[in-house]
Amino acid sequence: MAPMAGVTDKIFRKIVFEHGAGFTVSEMVSAKSIVYDNKNTFKLMANDDNVRPWAVQFFSHEPEILSEAIKRLGDFPFDIVDINMGCPMPKIVKNGEGAALMRDPPLAGRLIEAAVKASFRPVTVKIRKGFTPSTVNAKEMAHIAQESGALWVAVHGRTRDQFYTGEADWDAIAAVKAAVKIPVIGNGDIFTPETAVERLNCCDAIMIARGALGNPWLFSRTLKLLETGILPLPPTRDEIIETALRHLRAAENIIEMRKHLCWYTKGLPGSAETRRQINNAKSVNEMEEIILRSGSNEELY
């Protein structure tokens, strides 16, 4: 399960893990905020004890700060240090972090080396195809990750200036796979089990992001298709409602849950009206009533 800001919190990671996600990643956290002991940052790293292995994903442009943050989390129960070098958001990029590091491969290498030196855990890296179409350099960045000691590299098949528009370039991901010895994880536009299985021809593993929003069954159905060659039936309306309610009842922030419930109910009969009601709901009980009334017994996805 790909790291996604504002999405991949403790309960979300638990749900996708139970549906077969072999690895989960926290929302990205600021290395500087850890060094400065920001309490809200530590909340992003809450995790269920049984959801393992998992990674904490850091963003930083300062090797010394990243090193210090990793050392401070020496006793924290996670398994892998992941470094974000792909986030396209302006507030991250303008600080020289996230996808901005695609424009500064030497600094990217120093960050990875600092993390590897500071950590007794494996270090991994998430990159993009490039920053712009004219500066595609994922193969170079993957080589740097490999030589700097990264365990694997995950590649989103879009440039930074694409954000999440257009189509992910899986030929670019396959080219990275052919260029390095470390495992390559492919990411981008995986919305169905059939696509997931097909994309495994390009890389060593796949990372699912938006396809799992409201649809953790994408993991379990993909695994079953891989194991048997037979595409499993999609979840029923009742299975969707049950999971949505479980997610809601475990959530700490009902405002944040609005988007999750809208994702779960997408495609159900009357979903437009359901979304309108969800976005106006003020309490968990009100949201529960809306969810229980939504849809019918049709199968979805």
Side-chain angles (χ1 to χ4, degrees), residues 248-263:
L248 171 62
R249 290 162 183 165
E252 296 181 357
N253 187 325
I254 65 167
I255 302 301
E256 288 291 323
M257 271 307 298
R258 287 174 175 169
K259 61 190 177 189
H260 287 283
L261 296 178
C262 288
W263 289 327

Side-chain angles (χ1 to χ4, degrees), residues 83 85 101-116 123-127 137-155 176 179-182 184:
I83 306 174
M85 298 187 178
L101 292 163
M102 301 294 295
R103 296 187 296 188
D104 193 346
L107 176 56
R110 293 196 297 274
L111 283 162
I112 299 166
E113 289 172 0
V116 170
V123 174
T124 62
V125 183
K126 177 88 186 293
I127 65 173
N137 63 342
K139 288 194 290 184
E140 177 190 0
M141 290 287 286
H143 268 294
I144 287 172
Q146 177 176 277
E147 298 306 312
S148 300
L151 178 68
W152 72 61
V153 59
V155 185
V176 174
V180 295
K181 296 178 181 178
I182 58 174
V184 173

Side-chain angles (χ1 to χ4, degrees), residues 9-16 246-247 250-252 257:
D9 60 7
K10 176 181 177 179
I11 181 59
F12 185 91
R13 294 197 306 271
K14 182 175 182 179
I15 288 173
V16 296
R246 179 182 167 220
H247 195 161
E252 296 181 357
M257 271 307 298

Side-chain angles (χ1 to χ4, degrees), residues 267-283:
L268 285 170
S271 61
E273 174 60 19
T274 297
R275 290 195 299 273
R276 186 193 69 78
Q277 293 179 18
I278 288 169
N279 285 319
N280 288 317
K282 301 296 192 297
S283 69

